[in-house]
Amino acid sequence: MKSLFSSRRKPPVQIPTDTQDLFAHLPTELIILVLEQLNTSSDIISALHVCRNWRDILLSPEIWPSIADRLVPGLTTHIRERNCSVNLHAQAKVFQAALNLHHLYQSGLFSYARHHVVRVNDGSFTLSKQVSVESGGVHSLAEVPGLDPLSEELHVTHVRLYSHGRIAWWPEAWHLPYFAVVDDLRARVRRMFLFPGQAELRGEDRRRGWKTALGEKLFVLGQEDAGVCVWHLERDEMKFAELPGGFDRCVVDGERLLFIGRRNAEVWLWEWAGEQGVREIDVARDEPRYVPGPVRMGGQIVQGYPRPAPKLGLRFQDTDVKVDFILHPNDWRVIFVVTWDEADLVVSEFYEGCMRARMVCPREHLAYRGMVRSRTDNAVHYLRTDRCDGRGGYVLMTAWVGEEPMCDAGHRGSIVSVCFNVHTSEFSALVHHASYQRTPAAHLWDGLLAVRVAGEDQNGLKPVVALLKPCDADEGNEATSQPGNPMPVRLIKQPSNTITPVEGNMTFVSEDGEIRPRAQSLHGMAHAFEAGGDARQAGTDAMKAEWLSGDDKTLVYVAGRDYTVWMFGEDGIPKEKKEVRLWKERFKNAIASTGRGTRA
């Protein structure tokens, strides 16, 4: 701080009485005192646009870390660990970009929205031919044996995975599980992959045991008897990984893969740039509850019906212990093993194959009470780690815990999300209030929980994605929405020059169904987005996968072969020439209005 004062100290001056800018003559110490009173991301973004002097002070190494920790806890640690090789000025720019994204997401200001129906013949994507045919790239649909592009409506099409702006889907998931499509939603580029050597296999041998995973850089497709193909989505290259056996779970982070063996819960690590091939980590040596044995993959099972969704977890078949894994986003030497045996929730940290720390969730912690209460939901809940913010936070499980109040606010109907931060090694829990019969397909990001509900307007029933605030956020301003109440919804319209997405109104509708019941009430709704598709069909088809996913730049709602995507920030603006100018104008207007002091 002393260096900041000395570098920016101004000599005493006589302030003119007729000046219109008194702040220009204030000493740096007083300006800092003024800026310390700003306590929202909107206020900080406004201050960054006041003048160059204020921006330089706010982005100085002495100031921005405290602002980051105050507004977005954990952001400073994440930025410094992810960008340790860059200079302090570059880290400040990363902070500014993260603050903009945080503000846009929390305010519901998407820069782009679009509804898709997946088709192999889709002119909105450009087919990439950078991956050679020998490496599994598909340059023409005629190269895929058994695929009839003219009979797409008869295909069993599954949209299965989302990661970092990409959607992975299977045009014919039942008969051709080894043929996959990965669409880049930002670059509008499509890559098609065909696992090599399938022409020699027949019948069930070609359909059995396929597993897949998608990350920021890698796409994985493998079978127990055929091995694993790993495609690098930035280099457009393919490598083949031979595993000692079949696997039931693959975790991806950067250029690293972690496989969980099906027969004995072996843990195998593989790196794209590594020369050692597959390495095994002996987790059972240090973690007493990790007893080697067969594992089974599963998701929520409600009243005997499995819920089709990509967020599946693992359990030990013999002990019924739930288990999952986290690859540290910044340190390639660190992995975390998460276990839940209905008595203790434990996260074990392994450094270069040896256990370094063991964190047990205290039984008086809200996270533990949420895990225990989830067992009363008449559903089987698995651990399934997924990022829940851009600061090292992972959600371990999200579960409906019944109508009885879960927090001091006393609201009935609670959804509890149990989280763990890899930087701080701390557990946390968020409670969102919505009255459901059972656990919904939900997605947690930056404290907001996205759930699918239904709205009705003059055109009929529409799917709506509602973002709920945690129960301790602006408690006095939260309201409960009941069926029949009007619900303000941000609609999907053509690009326009409006500062915010187009607003509309729908009537909140409660849908009843055996497989996918809808909310009877919503509490503390921050925003609601109109999704494309048919809400009634998505709610009644038991075999249609329905799920939500996303990150700091994207929110995705999937229902069968339909999906709707909302993008936040300038990176989300598509590269289509006809739309890019209007969408950029919308994004710049939203940020500019905040900079002028107007809360967007």
Side-chain angles (χ1 to χ4, degrees):
M1 186 69 71
K2 183 177 180 180
S3 61
L4 175 65
F5 289 154
S6 59
S7 63
R8 307 191 67 83
R9 189 177 300 279
K10 300 177 181 178
V13 296
Q14 183 69 33
I15 300 178
T17 57
D18 60 344
T19 182
Q20 296 183 358
D21 186 6
L22 295 177
F23 281 99
H25 300 277
L26 290 179
T28 302
E29 294 88 341
L30 289 181
I31 293 177
I32 291 176
L33 289 177
V34 171
L35 297 179
E36 285 180 347
Q37 307 307 309
L38 306 180
N39 53 17
T40 67
S41 57
S42 178
D43 290 340
I44 297 298
I45 292 173
S46 298
L48 285 168
H49 288 78
V50 168
C51 63
R52 181 176 297 178
N53 184 39
W54 281 33
R55 184 173 68 251
D56 291 344
I57 292 175
L58 287 169
L59 297 182
S60 64
E62 295 86 356
I63 300 298
W64 75 259
S66 61
I67 296 175
D69 285 337
R70 177 156 46 91
L71 298 180
V72 190
L75 180 58
T76 300
T77 301
H78 181 74
I79 290 176
R80 286 176 170 169
E81 289 198 5
R82 294 281 287 191
N83 303 274
C84 59
S85 61
V86 302
N87 58 43
L88 297 178
H89 177 73
Q91 290 183 4
K93 290 296 184 182
V94 174
F95 157 71
Q96 185 177 7
L99 189 67
N100 281 336
L101 283 173
H102 175 77
H103 168 69
L104 292 172
Y105 193 89
Q106 294 290 322
S107 303
L109 297 174
F110 55 82
S111 59
Y112 176 79
R114 183 166 180 166
H115 178 67
H116 296 259
V117 179
V118 292
R119 300 184 183 280
V120 289
N121 292 307
D122 189 344
S124 62
F125 290 94
T126 301
L127 178 61
S128 172
K129 300 181 180 180
Q130 297 300 313
V131 180
S132 66
V133 175
E134 294 76 16
S135 297
V138 175
H139 299 174
S140 170
L141 295 175
E143 301 170 6
V144 184
L147 180 69
D148 184 2
L150 301 180
S151 304
E152 281 197 83
E153 298 302 325
L154 302 177
H155 292 168
V156 182
T157 303
H158 283 177
V159 182
R160 290 183 175 172
L161 303 170
Y162 167 82
S163 180
H164 294 82
R166 295 186 178 95
I167 283 277
W169 60 281
W170 277 250
E172 175 48 79
W174 175 249
H175 294 290
L176 303 173
Y178 44 84
F179 172 53
V181 180
V182 178
D183 289 335
D184 190 320
L185 303 177
R186 299 185 183 115
R188 313 298 299 172
V189 172
R190 167 167 293 177
R191 294 173 174 85
M192 298 193 296
F193 303 105
L194 183 66
F195 196 97
Q198 292 306 301
E200 293 78 14
L201 299 178
R202 294 289 184 269
E204 290 296 327
D205 291 335
R206 295 198 299 177
R207 296 199 294 263
R208 186 186 68 249
W210 288 94
K211 303 294 179 182
T212 186
L214 177 67
E216 180 180 7
K217 298 180 180 180
L218 303 180
F219 175 62
V220 182
L221 187 59
Q223 188 192 38
E224 181 172 352
D225 300 325
V228 179
C229 279
V230 184
W231 286 277
H232 201 295
L233 299 174
E234 295 180 356
R235 299 183 180 183
D236 289 314
E237 300 173 359
M238 187 270 281
K239 289 186 178 182
F240 189 81
E242 280 197 49
L243 299 180
F247 69 99
D248 256 346
R249 177 89 161 93
C250 178
V251 182
V252 190
D253 192 278
E255 295 185 343
R256 296 175 296 156
L257 300 175
L258 184 146
F259 299 94
I260 311 304
R262 179 184 306 126
R263 292 190 177 92
N264 213 31
E266 305 93 335
V267 179
W268 299 310
L269 280 176
W270 183 89
E271 299 174 26
W272 178 270
E275 300 179 355
Q276 301 177 354
V278 176
R279 297 185 292 118
E280 183 171 352
I281 296 180
D282 188 2
V283 174
R285 179 187 61 193
D286 298 315
E287 174 49 65
R289 296 193 308 171
Y290 197 93
V291 181
V295 292
R296 290 292 179 267
M297 179 77 76
Q300 292 179 14
I301 301 175
V302 179
Q303 295 184 347
Y305 293 96
R307 293 174 60 92
K311 297 182 179 181
L312 305 177
L314 283 177
R315 67 177 178 88
F316 285 95
Q317 183 176 339
D318 298 333
T319 63
D320 202 38
V321 173
K322 313 302 188 298
V323 62
D324 208 0
F325 300 80
I326 301 172
L327 288 171
H328 197 289
N330 303 334
D331 193 337
W332 60 270
R333 299 163 294 184
V334 177
I335 69 169
F336 297 88
V337 182
V338 189
T339 55
W340 166 243
D341 64 353
E342 309 295 332
D344 286 303
L345 176 63
V346 180
V347 177
S348 302
E349 179 183 352
F350 285 79
Y351 180 83
E352 293 188 338
C354 299
M355 190 166 73
R356 182 166 65 177
R358 191 170 186 264
M359 287 69 69
V360 182
C361 183
R363 298 198 173 187
E364 65 275 9
H365 199 289
L366 178 61
Y368 182 85
R369 291 191 282 123
M371 298 289 289
V372 173
R373 283 275 296 271
S374 69
R375 295 180 295 185
T376 64
D377 182 27
N378 193 27
V380 177
H381 294 285
Y382 287 76
L383 294 173
R384 175 65 188 214
T385 59
D386 202 5
R387 291 191 182 186
C388 61
D389 59 43
R391 308 176 298 279
Y394 289 78
V395 59
L396 309 182
M397 189 186 73
T398 297
W400 157 255
V401 296
E403 288 287 348
E404 293 301 317
M406 186 69 192
C407 61
D408 296 336
H411 299 295
R412 299 182 64 84
S414 300
I415 301 174
V416 175
S417 300
V418 178
C419 306
F420 180 79
N421 190 287
V422 298
H423 297 316
T424 63
S425 299
E426 294 179 349
F427 293 93
S428 62
L430 294 174
V431 179
H432 298 82
H433 294 296
S435 180
Y436 273 81
Q437 293 177 353
R438 290 179 290 276
T439 301
H443 169 67
L444 179 69
W445 188 267
D446 248 355
L448 298 181
L449 185 74
V451 294
R452 209 283 269 176
V453 297
E456 190 171 25
D457 59 12
Q458 65 273 16
N459 298 319
L461 204 62
K462 301 289 185 181
V464 174
V465 174
L467 274 67
L468 308 180
K469 295 183 291 184
C471 67
D472 59 347
D474 299 326
E475 184 66 34
N477 298 324
E478 292 183 0
T480 300
S481 300
Q482 304 287 349
N485 290 349
M487 179 170 53
V489 177
R490 292 180 175 173
L491 307 176
I492 299 177
K493 296 294 183 182
Q494 293 297 321
S496 65
N497 290 326
T498 57
I499 292 177
T500 61
V502 179
E503 301 281 353
N505 277 291
M506 293 184 181
T507 302
F508 180 25
V509 178
S510 175
E511 300 174 275
D512 293 324
E514 291 186 8
I515 307 302
R516 295 190 178 92
R518 298 297 168 221
Q520 310 298 311
S521 67
L522 299 174
H523 186 78
M525 185 171 63
H527 317 290
F529 301 146
E530 175 197 25
D534 187 343
R536 196 176 303 277
Q537 182 181 3
T540 57
D541 188 350
M543 296 310 295
K544 179 174 284 189
E546 187 180 18
W547 48 277
L548 288 146
S549 188
D551 47 43
D552 57 343
K553 298 181 180 179
T554 311
L555 177 64
V556 178
Y557 163 67
V558 176
R561 64 170 64 218
D562 294 33
Y563 69 91
T564 305
V565 57
W566 298 268
M567 296 186 180
F568 303 84
E570 193 167 6
D571 288 347
I573 300 173
K575 302 301 185 289
E576 299 173 15
K577 294 182 179 179
K578 295 181 180 179
E579 299 183 5
V580 66
R581 180 179 61 82
L582 293 178
W583 283 110
K584 276 192 173 182
E585 189 68 26
R586 167 184 284 183
F587 171 75
K588 290 179 178 179
N589 284 342
I591 292 296
S593 67
T594 307
R596 290 193 295 268
T598 302
R599 295 263 183 110

